Amino acid sequence: MTKYFFYLALSIICISTGFKTQQDKSVITGLVSGYSGIDTIKDEQNAIPPVEYFLKNGKSFVILQSPESEYLVDVHVFGKGFPNSKDSIFFDEIEIIDTVLIADINNDGFEELYIFTRGFFPGAYDHVFGVTSDEDKSYREINFYDLKPADVTDGAVFNGYQGQDVYTLENNSIKRTFPVYDAGDFYNHPSRGYRSLYYTLEKIDSGFYFKLKN
């Protein structure tokens, strides 16, 4: 089924529920000046309006949520005021949103939107999803680099890593904390304690990535 996004002006708040979707193949026009993007997501019965998060430069990001289950949502993010971007960035079946923040962690003058989610069962932890302004001309998803075999070898920063990340925004960085295990450790008893890593933002030819700080 298809439905289309629209903009509403709301101040920065934390959100944790879904949104009302539109009917199949109906185009909503004239609701927001300048928006012509069209995206496809399925209809939902339980919904609330989208939420708009404003940047210091007057541009904004809008979040739309579509409940997939009691614990999971589909999330679309799209920007307002970006001349080279119209379509949404889609996060498929992520945990319920806990907190949304605007920040500029690499201090380049262009702000980012960060979505922090809450784990959907005991032992599952937060995730972070990011969307950044690309010089205020377009907006793009922020990704983590894939782990390589060298990243988990003895002495490497992800040695003993088995997931269960917790993400926060701290000291103008994305802080990632996780338990560190030895072979034979129980799930809830990491014998090597916890490790925290700090990330800034990096732009390369293929896109934007969370980059480990030195």
Side-chain angles (χ1 to χ4, degrees), residues 177-210:
T177 302
F178 54 86
V180 184
Y181 293 92
D182 276 328
D185 285 349
F186 289 105
Y187 180 78
N188 59 344
H189 288 93
S191 60
R192 295 165 62 187
Y194 290 81
R195 183 176 299 147
S196 292
L197 304 176
Y198 293 85
Y199 293 84
T200 186
L201 192 61
E202 177 179 50
K203 180 182 180 180
I204 61 176
D205 290 343
S206 60
F208 286 86
Y209 290 86
F210 292 107

Side-chain angles (χ1 to χ4, degrees), residues 104-123:
D104 179 12
I105 66 171
N106 62 341
N107 298 309
D108 66 350
F110 303 106
E111 292 177 298
E112 309 95 45
L113 173 119
Y114 294 104
I115 299 171
F116 296 90
T117 66
R118 183 66 58 185
F120 58 87
F121 61 85

Side-chain angles (χ1 to χ4, degrees), residues 121-205:
F121 61 85
Y125 294 88
D126 296 351
H127 293 80
V128 62
F129 301 89
V131 178
T132 183
S133 167
D134 188 357
E135 298 182 352
D136 285 348
K137 298 176 182 177
S138 61
Y139 49 90
R140 302 178 71 177
E141 181 179 353
I142 307 169
N143 295 288
F144 281 95
Y145 288 107
D146 293 332
L147 290 183
K148 301 179 176 60
D151 296 329
V152 298
T153 57
D154 288 344
V157 293
F158 282 99
N159 180 251
Y161 174 77
Q162 294 185 23
Q164 303 179 64
D165 303 283
V166 176
Y167 294 95
T168 55
L169 183 63
E170 184 175 309
N171 298 325
N172 210 38
S173 304
I174 296 296
K175 180 182 178 182
R176 178 182 192 174
T177 302
F178 54 86
V180 184
Y181 293 92
D182 276 328
D185 285 349
F186 289 105
Y187 180 78
N188 59 344
H189 288 93
S191 60
R192 295 165 62 187
Y194 290 81
R195 183 176 299 147
S196 292
L197 304 176
Y198 293 85
Y199 293 84
T200 186
L201 192 61
E202 177 179 50
K203 180 182 180 180
I204 61 176
D205 290 343

Side-chain angles (χ1 to χ4, degrees), residues 1 6-7 9 15 26 33-34 39 46 84 88 118 183 201-202 204:
M1 294 185 179
F6 54 95
Y7 292 96
I15 53 176
S26 61
S33 175
D39 294 278
N46 300 317
N84 296 338
S88 75
R118 183 66 58 185
L201 192 61
E202 177 179 50
I204 61 176

